Each structure stands twice: as C-alpha cells, then as structure tokens.
Amino acid sequence: MGFSLSSSHMIFFIGALIVASSAMAIMVNVILTISTNVESRGEDLSNKILSDITIINDPENIPQDPLTIYVKNTGRVKLDTTLDIFLDNEYIKNATVTQLDNNTDLWQPGEIVMITIPGVSLSSGEHTIIVITSSGVSDRLVFIVRGD
Amino acid sequence: MGYSLTLTSVLFFSFFLFSFYFLYGTLREFNELTDAANDLKEERDRVLKNTDITMKGVLIDGKNLTFTFENSGYTSLDVDHLTFIIEGVVIEKENLTLTLEEDWEEYWQVGDELVVEAYLPNLSLTSSAGDTAWLVTPPTTPTGNITIASGDHIYCLILNSSSPTIEIFNRDGKVVGVVPSTLLNSPLDICVMEEDLLVLNKTSVDRFTSLGYKNDDNYIGSLVDAELITYSHGYVFIGLANGSIIRYTSDGKNQTYLFSLTSGSDLMDIYAGAMLHLFVKKGNFYWIYNLTLGGALHSKMNLSAALSATPLAFSYFAPGEQLVVLTQGNNSHMVYYLASGNFYSLNASIIRDPVALDVGDGIYLVDQGTHTLQKLTLGQKVKIITREGWEGVWEF
C-alpha cells in the first residue's frame, strides 16, 4: 500500500514535471518570438522616425534630358538606394540612382543621390514627382516646366 | 500529490516571473529606442526651426563664383553637409571650397560668415549681360546726390534741395523706415557702424538706430568741412574737403590725422574694409589709393589707365576686397569689377543716370535718371540645403 502510494506520487510528480516542462518550452518559444518581434518592430519604428528624405531641386529649374532629380538624406540613419519613383502618378521603371558623394552601398545622412530618368518629355506646366524609400519614407515635389 | 502540485505551481510561477521580466525588459528597450528616436527627431525639428542663412555678397569671375553667407539663425550648422544648387544643378564637392570665418571651428557658428567658392565648368556665367531687378521708386524727386550704404538694411540718402531724407529699405526693396528731414542737419554722407547708421554733416556726425531713430546728436562734433564717412574694424574714417582723412575710435572720441592728399587732388569717395581705399581725382585722371587702417600708403592704381570710361563711383566686395567701379559713358554705363587681376564688366546700360553703387548680395545702384534704387543681377539663383533639410534660395 505504502509502495503504491509513493509510486502514484512519483507518477504524478513526473507527469506534473513533464506537463510543466512542455508548457514552459512552448511558452518560452512564444515569449521569445514575441520579444524578438517587439525588438525588431522597435528598431523599424526607430528607423522610420529617424528616416527622412528631401527632394532638393529648384522647382522652377529642373534639369531635363535626362530628367534629373536630386534627393538628400535629411534623416539620421543610413538608407539603401532602392527607391520607387512616381512621375505624375506613373511608376517609373527605368530610373537610375547614383550617389553623388560616395560609392558605398548605403546612402549616408546628409548625402545626395541623383535620379536620372531618360526618355521623358514633359509638357509645359505643373508636374509632380514622388520618391519613396524601401522603409516607406517619401517626399513629393511639384515642379514647373516652362514652355520655350 | 500535494508535493507535485506545489512543485508544479512553483515552476509555473518562476516561469511567469521570468517571462514578465523578459517581456518587461524587451518593452523597456522598445520604449527607450523609440524615445531616443523621438528625441533625435525633436532635435532635428529644433535645428530646422532655428536655421537661417543670409547671403551677404556674390562675385562672378568667369566660371568661378564667390558667395559670402552669414549664419543668421540661432543654431550652428554642419558645413560638411551643405548642398549648393546653382541654376538647377548640384555643385559637386570637388568644385566647392568652403572657408569659415573661424577656420578652426568644425561647425558654422551663429553670426559667422562662410565664403563659398564654386567652380562651374559647365555653366556659362560670363558677365556680358546684366539683368535689372527693380526695387523701389523713391516717392521724392532727388535733385542732388544720392548715397547708399548697405547693411542688413539698405540706406539711401536723398538730397533734395530743400528737404533731405534717408529712406531705409529691406533686402526685398520695401521701405521699412524713413528718417525725416526734421531729424537731419544738412547731411552729406552716410555709413553703417555695426547696428547703427551714421550721418555725416559738415561739422558733426549724428548716430541713428538701424531703423532711423535718432540715437545720439553730435556723436562726433567739431569737424571742419567734412564730406565723406566710412566705418570699419572699430574705426570711423572721415574725409575732409581739403583731402585729409581723420580716424575716430568707435566711441567717437579719440581722433587721429591719418593722411593728406597732395594739392591738386580731389577726394571723391572713401571706403574702409580690411584697408582704407580712397577714390581720388588728380587732373584728368582717377586713382584708387589703398592705405592701411593706420594711414600708411600701401599701393595706388590708376583707374583711368585701367578703364576706358570715366569712373563715377566705387565700392568693394568684401572677400578679398575686390574693387567694383561704376563708369559712365555716352548712354553706356558699365559696372566693372576686379577679379584675378583682370577687370570684368557688367552691362548697366539700362540704367539712365547712375550716381552711386554698393555691393552686397548684388550690385545696388542709385539711378538719378529714373529716381530708382536698382539691383543689378545676372538673373541666376543659388539654393542652399542644410543637412537637416532647411532650404534657402537667393537670386544674384
């Protein structure tokens, strides 16, 4: 009787340990996933807060043939130069992005990239260009093309 | 049974404590990260709000442009990340030379000047054609000489036969103040001293605030036959009708006789910068005499030999003290400026009867023919973008 009581206690004890360990293992995994996501979200948010770009062209004198747009990294973090460009709400596929100040892969704060869009013939009047970075930060410039 | 349950509870409780601690740490890190980012963003906004730049001068020498800017805001600026756009094109760093007033500083401090030399290999900025920006038409008709003295404001002394006045313009050509004739005492010439306006009378100098309120009657008194006044580096220089130059300390008290022209020479105008420059007529020839601020003659230049037309008025462009001369021909007035040892000309023919000029963010001319104050420019634009994205545009 004494033995069976201890055995059943032992069985309950081992069972409880297995249940508790399994639950812990699952939940540790969940907690780690949550905290990793929170951390990564924090970094993203912080980067987004610190990211900013400015289209710095003179809106009354945009170099054409090819259309040349200058964008300055006016934020505090490095950006990559993968940019999406919309000219008059049309996505531009053949734009070339060149860094003016250095040749590193990343676009340093305070530095400028030059976007050239070949084969564009703009009519006289107002036009809009929008530049969007891979982190979602964007700037927009309304510029004027004067007729000859 | 109870022992197992207790142990399980303890394990779960420890785990929850660990989880809470871990999650709390993560969340705190998240908050710190976003707070730090927000602080940096606020700092950037503060810098943007406190940024202001003023263009003080520009000189064109073929494909080289020299601009002088002043940090007129409330925050120092990162010079390494200033961007310059001239006529729509970004000037690359290898074509720019930036010199700070205090060259040992890393940042452009508030109140300091920055000299920007830009080389534009692909732009054709020759000074063959001028473009006139009309500023304002003075309401009165001047019958005598007109003098301007530039600073942050532009002062124009209008000498009517009965009621002389001083009109004060801002850089956009709007009248921001007038010194009425009732506050003036037969004025002959004006100059700017730090924040004040000095008005020279035949026997005294009066001091006014920059907006034309009287500050000090007889700031300098007991002069004999004074005609011309200029200020630089803490000294007021006064030219007398007999060709002598007297120097006063900026408190208007201590005077020193500096220099006297030989007989037969007429003192036409004076300008003080790093040196004291005299515009002198001797017989049929016009000369520039360059003196140290202590009065020693440093050099002379025969303007009549260097220029084909008759010089009328002169001024200097601050960086490097480059000479700018207004000449008058038969219906073809020109502005010449000396750069790299050569004279370059700007066509000012559109101006009917120019009588005075001063150099700042353009060349300002007073035209007696049209009774206007005009700014001679090339119709070009320069744009500055700071690291934080503040933008300023000036026409030159």
Side-chain angles (χ1 to χ4, degrees):
Chain A
M1 188 67 187
F3 174 75
S4 61
L5 188 65
S6 330
S7 302
S8 59
H9 276 191
M10 185 61 81
I11 288 163
F12 274 122
F13 176 65
I14 291 167
L17 266 184
I18 290 168
V19 170
S21 309
S22 311
M24 267 205 286
I26 292 164
M27 291 186 80
V28 160
N29 198 25
V30 170
I31 291 292
L32 279 177
T33 310
I34 290 172
S35 63
T36 309
N37 287 342
V38 167
E39 220 171 277
S40 141
R41 178 83 186 121
E43 270 171 30
D44 284 352
L45 196 62
S46 155
N47 272 341
K48 196 156 185 178
I49 292 169
L50 295 176
S51 300
D52 204 0
I53 58 167
T54 309
I55 302 174
I56 59 172
N57 288 72
D58 179 351
E60 292 184 358
N61 192 350
I62 300 266
Q64 298 196 44
D65 197 23
L67 183 67
T68 306
I69 305 295
Y70 299 104
V71 189
K72 186 163 183 163
N73 179 351
T74 48
R76 294 273 189 153
V77 289
K78 296 170 192 169
L79 301 169
D80 69 50
T81 52
T82 312
L83 301 172
D84 291 314
I85 296 136
F86 290 85
L87 177 61
D88 293 331
N89 295 321
E90 229 174 82
Y91 185 75
I92 302 295
K93 287 179 189 162
N94 60 340
T96 312
V97 180
T98 317
Q99 290 200 54
L100 280 190
D101 300 307
N102 64 60
N103 296 315
T104 58
D105 291 339
L106 288 170
W107 181 12
Q108 306 285 337
E111 307 290 358
I112 298 160
V113 294
M114 179 173 77
I115 302 168
T116 44
I117 308 171
V120 176
S121 173
L122 294 174
S123 58
S124 57
E126 270 191 12
H127 298 273
T128 307
I129 190 140
I130 300 171
V131 177
I132 307 164
T133 67
S134 55
S135 57
V137 177
S138 66
D139 195 28
R140 177 175 183 272
L141 179 78
V142 177
F143 62 95
I144 297 165
V145 174
R146 298 196 191 282
D148 291 330
Chain B
M1 180 74 180
Y3 175 69
S4 306
L5 284 175
T6 309
L7 187 66
T8 312
S9 306
V10 168
L11 277 171
F12 269 112
F13 183 66
S14 315
F15 164 70
F16 278 121
L17 270 184
F18 165 75
S19 306
F20 274 122
Y21 178 73
F22 198 73
L23 269 177
Y24 172 72
T26 310
L27 286 171
R28 208 173 60 172
E29 203 173 316
F30 175 87
N31 274 336
E32 277 171 7
L33 216 56
T34 50
D35 282 353
N38 276 321
D39 286 350
L40 283 170
K41 193 173 183 332
E42 275 172 22
E43 168 65 12
R44 179 180 165 239
D45 291 344
R46 187 194 65 77
V47 171
L48 276 175
K49 217 175 179 178
N50 288 320
T51 299
D52 195 19
I53 296 171
T54 308
M55 185 161 92
K56 306 284 279 188
V58 59
L59 197 80
I60 304 115
D61 175 11
K63 292 182 185 300
N64 293 298
L65 297 173
T66 306
F67 300 97
T68 309
F69 295 100
E70 183 186 301
N71 181 349
S72 49
Y74 297 97
T75 185
S76 54
L77 298 168
D78 180 1
V79 173
D80 284 344
H81 291 106
L82 287 178
T83 306
F84 296 85
I85 296 184
I86 296 173
E87 280 307 279
V89 179
V90 167
I91 309 302
E92 295 189 32
K93 281 187 175 166
E94 62 258 34
N95 292 329
L96 276 175
T97 309
L98 308 183
T99 311
L100 278 171
E101 191 175 333
E102 303 289 351
D103 57 3
W104 45 270
E105 296 274 12
E106 282 182 27
Y107 273 71
W108 183 11
Q109 302 296 332
V110 174
D112 278 3
E113 286 188 352
L114 171 72
V115 176
V116 180
E117 291 165 73
Y119 173 63
L120 307 169
N122 299 319
L123 287 182
S124 176
L125 281 179
T126 54
S127 52
S128 56
D131 178 25
T132 304
W134 292 76
L135 282 183
V136 75
T137 302
T140 51
T141 302
T143 55
N145 277 329
I146 307 172
T147 311
I148 61 171
S150 290
D152 285 335
H153 295 114
I154 299 157
Y155 303 91
C156 189
L157 171 59
I158 300 167
L159 294 176
N160 283 303
S161 53
S162 57
S163 55
T165 55
I166 296 169
E167 295 198 13
I168 304 165
F169 304 94
N170 66 13
R171 290 270 168 197
D172 299 325
K174 292 190 180 122
V175 175
V176 292
V178 174
V179 183
S181 56
T182 50
L183 291 180
L184 296 170
N185 178 26
S186 304
L188 296 165
D189 197 10
I190 54 177
C191 77
V192 175
M193 180 181 76
E194 308 292 349
E195 300 294 312
D196 289 340
L197 171 68
L198 300 185
V199 179
L200 177 75
N201 311 309
K202 201 169 183 178
T203 57
S204 64
V205 178
D206 297 333
R207 189 162 67 168
F208 291 76
T209 66
S210 62
L211 282 175
Y213 299 106
K214 199 142 195 180
N215 207 346
D216 193 358
D217 270 329
N218 287 324
Y219 157 69
I220 294 173
S222 310
L223 293 167
V224 180
D225 251 355
E227 283 187 338
L228 301 159
I229 188 166
T230 184
Y231 169 84
S232 180
H233 289 82
Y235 294 113
V236 178
F237 300 89
I238 292 173
L240 305 180
N242 65 5
S244 301
I245 306 285
I246 314 170
R247 189 185 75 183
Y248 284 83
T249 50
S250 59
D251 58 8
K253 286 178 181 160
N254 297 316
Q255 69 164 39
T256 314
Y257 274 92
L258 281 195
F259 188 80
S260 275
L261 292 177
T262 53
S263 62
S265 303
D266 290 329
L267 187 59
M268 310 293 288
D269 202 359
I270 55 176
Y271 176 95
M275 297 190 87
L276 177 64
H277 307 279
L278 314 182
F279 182 35
V280 176
K281 188 180 179 198
K282 202 173 177 180
N284 291 324
F285 296 101
Y286 291 86
W287 290 78
I288 297 285
Y289 288 17
N290 302 309
L291 312 182
T292 64
L293 296 186
L297 182 63
H298 178 266
S299 56
K300 285 185 193 178
M301 178 196 285
N302 185 341
L303 267 185
S304 299
L307 302 170
S308 52
T310 309
L312 267 180
F314 86 134
S315 187
Y316 278 81
F317 177 69
E321 302 252 318
Q322 283 152 317
L323 172 65
V324 183
V325 186
L326 170 68
T327 66
Q328 186 164 29
N330 292 329
N331 299 319
S332 59
H333 314 295
M334 301 289 278
V335 174
Y336 288 91
Y337 57 89
L338 186 64
S340 312
N342 298 309
F343 272 103
Y344 291 83
S345 62
L346 274 169
N347 191 343
S349 295
I350 196 166
I351 297 159
R352 276 172 44 195
D353 191 7
V355 290
L357 90 163
D358 209 343
V359 187
D361 56 339
I363 295 172
Y364 291 88
L365 293 160
V366 172
D367 188 359
Q368 259 189 338
T370 53
H371 312 140
T372 53
L373 172 62
Q374 299 187 22
K375 185 180 166 187
L376 198 67
T377 69
L378 282 174
Q380 310 284 340
K381 277 184 192 165
V382 57
K383 181 174 180 180
I384 292 185
I385 303 98
T386 65
R387 178 192 166 136
E388 288 78 16
W390 183 90
E391 297 182 356
V393 184
W394 298 269
E395 191 172 298
F396 62 93

